[in-house]
Amino acid sequence: DLYNITLCSDGKDALELTQKEQFDIVLTDIRMPQMDGITFIRNLQNVQCRPAIIILSGYDDFNCALEAIKCGAKDYLLKPIKREELYSSIDK
């Protein structure tokens, strides 16, 4: 499979980019500079072609995971991420 990957340094940059370009999948962290992951995915709900969202986080916080799912995240994976687990989530 071929993937085009775009990296952003913080949540604010990622939101600006997703408002300009269309993405199929967004992988994001919960804790980021400028804008946290929950705020980021809430704002993604206003994007015309909303991508599938997968959260990658080092924080095993049930409330945070629940909020992410309520905001439209398709999966919440804990770091360190196992390659097979990530690929399985992307395939879904």
Side-chain angles (χ1 to χ4, degrees), residues 12-63:
K12 184 176 174 244
D13 287 345
L15 182 61
E16 289 172 5
L17 190 60
T18 55
Q19 291 170 335
K20 293 179 203 169
E21 297 182 36
Q22 184 175 341
F23 294 91
D24 296 321
I25 300 172
V26 169
L27 304 176
T28 186
D29 203 336
I30 290 294
R31 305 236 163 111
M32 301 182 288
Q34 303 293 323
M35 180 184 300
D36 67 82
I38 298 296
T39 303
F40 172 59
I41 61 176
R42 278 190 187 128
N43 281 292
L44 281 180
Q45 294 183 22
N46 300 321
V47 173
Q48 190 171 24
C49 295
R50 196 168 60 157
I53 302 159
I54 300 172
I55 304 288
L56 309 177
S57 181
Y59 300 94
D60 188 4
D61 180 342
F62 176 77
N63 290 327

Side-chain angles (χ1 to χ4, degrees), residues 57-74:
S57 181
Y59 300 94
D60 188 4
D61 180 342
F62 176 77
N63 290 327
C64 198
L66 182 60
E67 187 63 27
I69 299 300
K70 284 182 182 178
C71 291
K74 302 293 184 195

